[in-house]
Amino acid sequence: MKTRLTGSIGLFAAVAATVLSVSGPAAAAPGTADVVSLSEFIDQREAASAPMSALAVCEPNVYLTSRANDRIVAAETNYTGYDEGLLRARSTSVGSMERFTLCDHGGYYTLKSQGNSRYVTTELNYSGANEGLLRARGTSIGGWERYSISCPSYCTIKSQANNRYVSVELNYDGHDHAMLRARSTSVGAWETFR
């Protein structure tokens, strides 16, 4: 079992790196020598075309970059209250708040922040401008922590909890600027990642 997971993790890393660089080789983000992009991970998983097992295949040190503002997604682990763990596309380099463990569960994906060891959750109990907000706050995997990821020439992330695409909110101000929300029914520039 250990050998299988080790091989799968290397494959997972290669896939994630390919997925994020959809429009040709992208320049590596600062601090990314030991990380892989979302697109590279997905491409490697698809290239393997291995049958899925009951065990999740996970890749640590995955980062996501919004194509809308060319910023790396961070989990705001220093926020408190309802914003604690808020995901925002705001960074120019990869640190602990920008690293995620991406797991392929054979039917859905999960993201776990390495900044606080919490699963990314779609907040369906929030309303208005915060409805569908993504936060790294889950301690276990439930319906709100499951996502579909597709990377044809760019990556999209869709919450399985509300069947909405994840968007980067570039029209928000202050500490909510560029926060991620699962709120869109179609794909535009704000819903694409690499």
Side-chain angles (χ1 to χ4, degrees):
M1 184 165 104
K2 186 173 182 178
T3 304
R4 175 174 164 61
L5 289 177
T6 302
S8 297
I9 288 172
L11 174 63
F12 214 84
V15 169
T18 306
V19 172
L20 288 181
S21 55
V22 290
S23 56
T32 60
D34 62 340
V35 296
V36 297
S37 70
L38 174 65
S39 58
E40 290 171 324
F41 173 79
I42 299 299
D43 285 349
Q44 289 173 358
R45 290 289 299 144
E46 290 174 357
S49 65
M52 296 308 297
S53 70
L55 297 175
V57 177
C58 299
E59 176 61 38
N61 298 320
V62 173
Y63 67 97
L64 297 78
T65 303
S66 166
R67 292 183 71 210
N69 67 354
D70 201 33
R71 297 294 175 152
I72 299 166
V73 174
E76 300 293 358
T77 57
N78 55 339
Y79 285 11
T80 59
Y82 81 95
D83 276 344
E84 184 177 359
L86 173 70
L87 266 61
R88 293 179 54 216
R90 59 121 179 115
S91 298
T92 57
S93 62
V94 177
S96 64
M97 293 193 315
E98 293 80 18
R99 293 173 189 244
F100 297 87
T101 298
L102 178 65
C103 293
D104 181 346
H105 296 269
Y108 65 92
Y109 290 90
T110 57
L111 286 163
K112 189 174 191 179
S113 169
Q114 291 185 9
N116 67 359
S117 297
R118 300 290 177 116
Y119 289 100
V120 172
T121 301
T122 301
E123 297 294 354
L124 297 182
N125 58 344
Y126 288 10
S127 61
N130 290 322
E131 184 177 0
L133 167 71
L134 266 61
R135 292 176 54 209
R137 68 134 181 109
T139 57
S140 62
I141 300 170
W144 292 8
E145 290 77 27
R146 297 174 184 214
Y147 300 90
S148 299
I149 299 175
S150 177
C151 299
S153 59
Y154 50 81
C155 294
T156 58
I157 304 168
K158 192 178 213 182
S159 171
Q160 290 189 354
N162 67 357
N163 204 33
R164 300 289 174 118
Y165 290 101
V166 172
S167 300
V168 176
E169 300 296 356
L170 296 178
N171 58 339
Y172 287 16
D173 294 330
H175 75 275
D176 286 341
H177 178 72
M179 75 177 191
L180 274 60
R181 290 177 55 213
R183 59 121 181 116
S184 184
T185 58
S186 61
V187 176
W190 290 10
E191 292 78 32
T192 60
F193 297 86
R194 60 172 194 258

